[in-house]
Amino acid sequence: MNTADQLRDKRLLLGVTGSIAAYKTAELIRQLRKLGAEVQVIATREAFQFITSTTLATLCGRKILTGLFDEGGGQTWTQHITLGHWADLFVIAPATAQTLAKLAHGFSDNMLTATALAARCPVLLCPAMDHDMYMHPAVRSNLEQLQNLGYDILPPNYGELASGLVGFGRLPEINEIVAHLVILLKGELKGKHALVTAGPTREPIDPVRVLTNHSTGTMGFALAKDLVRRGAKVTLVTGPTWLEAPRGVDRVDVTTSVEMLNAVLAHKDADFIFMAAAVADYTPDKALASKIKKDEDSFVLHLNRTPDILARLGELCHDDQILVGFAMETENGLENARKKLAQKNLDWIVLNNLNEKGAGFGTETNRVTLIGKNGSLYPMELMSKPETATALLDRILTDCA
Ligand code: CTP
């Protein structure tokens, strides 16, 4: 299919709310229609402070819907249901703090919020507001709730805001929104199975102590979420973490490296495997049944190597599977990562340099380099971990295509 037809026959609902960024939706509608989509706009009354109903209606070629009971607005009082079933995707851009709050709590006081409740299709939210509003704990908690409810959220960009301040809250560029919704609609991994591992493992020493590491699982969870978004069936095998599994993911909780190995082997035929877990390399000889008392000034703990899960997968996987490993390095990153890529028989390895600012364990961001078995090298920008996950998948899937 020609890229100009990417959204041919797709039915989109565009929700517009009362943020200054609403003026940008004129261009969004133009681009969506150029790609072949049918667009129905549902605007809140506040949106018309920033863009006129005539502009929106002219561009989308349809009457703009606002109130549930507006004169002539809805053909019937059940139109919010009909629309919610009609659409392939509902994108709300810009989404104000007010609309996010209503959606997080199930309000349905206008056509936009009622239709969001009735929608059977994915709903993509593009928040836009001033930095301090976006950072307010109430907004953060509503966004978290919305994420748990299964809404797809495209976070705002950092940059100049209408208030003159600089911060988070800028509506992403129109082409970013379009690219994001094309991925959502394409479902390019429909029918594919992806296995992702995440988090640390914990190796017991005695009933009280464990050997573990600082991994939080954020990168693996971000990958799992993006794979679901692309339509894959996702199994997420995770070590102990406080993170909530993204909606639609089949989560398997494990503690030790041996438990992780067994859980992974149960899904070894997955089409895509991402070993993002920080697996302990050594485990105590045997976990003691009773607590070690501090009778001695020092004592020796004997450790044995754990199974190398990724290397096992490298032996077992077929050519039509894609196996991706991660390398955590503090020195000679490229050299060590290339060695692991070859030794473990991987298709790709994602190098994480722990010495780089903003990369590695417990950070919100990551800076990685993707290395392919054919020698290709893709150094990536410093990005949030969800953005890193998207960039990695875009690259890997482009290569598979
Ligand atoms: N890995 C694994 N099983 C292990 C250790 C690591 O499957 N017992 C996987 C990790 O999930 C990661 C990759 O191997 O995808 C590389 O992990 P890393 O800790 O960087 O390297 P190691 O292979 O453990 O080698 P070293 O610790 O010597 O750097």
Side-chain angles (χ1 to χ4, degrees):
M1 189 182 288
N2 186 319
T3 50
D5 289 336
Q6 278 187 93
L7 296 178
R8 165 124 53 93
D9 299 332
K10 294 295 180 198
R11 298 189 286 211
L12 301 187
L13 284 173
L14 171 62
V16 184
T17 70
S19 147
I20 177 68
Y23 80 90
K24 297 183 179 173
T25 55
E27 181 56 26
L28 179 57
I29 299 169
R30 285 193 58 229
Q31 288 207 20
L32 295 175
R33 294 209 63 196
K34 255 194 191 160
L35 294 177
E38 254 186 272
V39 182
Q40 169 67 60
V41 174
I42 308 180
T44 61
R45 291 201 194 293
E46 292 70 23
F48 299 130
Q49 297 288 336
F50 302 98
I51 187 159
T52 72
S53 176
T54 315
T55 308
L56 293 168
T58 308
L59 291 171
C60 77
R62 288 163 169 260
K63 189 170 174 60
I64 307 307
L65 306 172
T66 301
L68 278 166
F69 303 103
D70 282 354
E71 187 67 25
Q75 287 141 7
T76 70
W77 68 271
T78 54
Q79 197 174 9
H80 53 299
I81 310 288
T82 326
L83 284 171
H85 294 190
W86 168 84
D88 295 305
L89 182 81
F90 188 1
V91 51
I92 304 179
T96 56
Q98 170 80 352
T99 291
L100 294 177
K102 287 182 184 177
L103 295 175
H105 299 282
F107 280 59
S108 55
D109 60 341
N110 58 32
M111 185 64 93
L112 188 153
T113 50
T115 307
L117 281 188
R120 287 186 177 170
C121 59
V123 182
L124 169 64
L125 304 173
C126 304
M129 63 199 75
D130 217 80
H131 177 90
D132 298 296
M133 292 174 77
Y134 183 66
M135 290 301 173
H136 193 283
V139 175
R140 317 291 323 148
S141 117
N142 285 336
L143 283 167
E144 201 178 312
Q145 167 72 354
L146 289 161
Q147 194 134 22
N148 293 337
L149 290 172
Y151 286 91
D152 198 86
I153 299 166
L154 182 62
N157 285 347
Y158 183 89
E160 207 171 289
L161 303 166
S163 60
L165 297 173
V166 172
F168 281 105
R170 235 179 112 82
L171 186 72
E173 298 308 316
I174 297 305
N175 54 7
E176 285 176 61
I177 299 176
V178 173
H180 191 89
L181 61 86
V182 166
I183 287 182
L184 273 180
L185 282 165
K186 214 160 51 171
E188 61 192 323
L189 294 181
K190 250 186 208 135
K192 300 286 182 194
H193 181 201
L195 169 65
V196 181
T197 66
T201 58
R202 272 189 200 157
E203 310 297 325
I205 298 172
D206 68 10
V208 183
R209 289 98 171 184
V210 292
L211 279 181
T212 189
N213 57 62
H214 294 302
S215 169
T216 55
T218 314
M219 195 60 227
F221 276 60
L223 279 165
K225 184 168 181 207
D226 207 318
L227 286 158
V228 169
R229 184 166 74 99
R230 292 170 198 256
K233 164 179 151 37
V234 180
T235 306
L236 175 63
V237 174
T238 177
T241 165
W242 51 268
L243 295 176
E244 286 211 26
R247 194 162 171 256
V249 161
D250 183 14
R251 173 178 182 151
V252 182
D253 284 291
V254 296
T255 304
T256 64
S257 51
V258 170
E259 285 172 18
M260 185 169 278
L261 170 72
N262 293 332
V264 163
L265 289 181
H267 300 282
K268 66 172 176 28
D269 295 324
D271 301 288
F272 294 88
I273 303 181
F274 296 86
M275 271 298 298
V279 186
D281 288 324
Y282 290 93
T283 188
D285 207 8
K286 65 177 192 306
L288 298 171
S290 42
K291 185 184 168 197
I292 302 170
K293 302 297 285 180
K294 57 174 185 304
D295 299 333
E296 310 292 335
D297 283 344
S298 67
F299 76 98
V300 174
L301 188 61
H302 189 263
L303 304 177
N304 293 325
R305 281 282 296 274
T306 55
D308 191 321
I309 307 171
L310 187 58
R312 281 285 283 283
L313 288 170
E315 288 160 14
L316 297 170
C317 281
H318 308 293
D319 285 351
D320 52 356
Q321 290 175 275
I322 300 292
L323 181 58
V324 185
F326 285 70
M328 277 284 179
E329 303 294 343
T330 51
E331 58 216 337
N332 302 330
L334 275 179
E335 190 187 323
N336 287 334
R338 284 196 174 111
K339 224 184 263 170
K340 286 176 192 173
L341 175 77
Q343 281 169 355
K344 301 194 190 195
N345 197 20
L346 311 178
D347 296 293
W348 298 93
I349 195 152
V350 181
L351 167 64
N352 247 303
N353 192 333
L354 286 185
N355 292 334
E356 287 229 22
K357 206 164 167 260
F361 289 137
T363 60
E364 286 303 309
T365 53
N366 216 352
R367 179 179 220 141
V368 301
T369 300
L370 179 67
I371 309 167
K373 66 176 175 196
N374 58 3
S376 49
L377 189 77
Y378 300 102
M380 304 212 167
E381 303 289 304
L382 179 71
M383 292 183 266
S384 71
K385 286 185 175 167
E387 284 166 338
T388 306
T390 303
L392 287 172
L393 290 177
D394 281 348
R395 191 63 258 163
I396 292 170
L397 295 176
T398 306
D399 194 78
C400 294

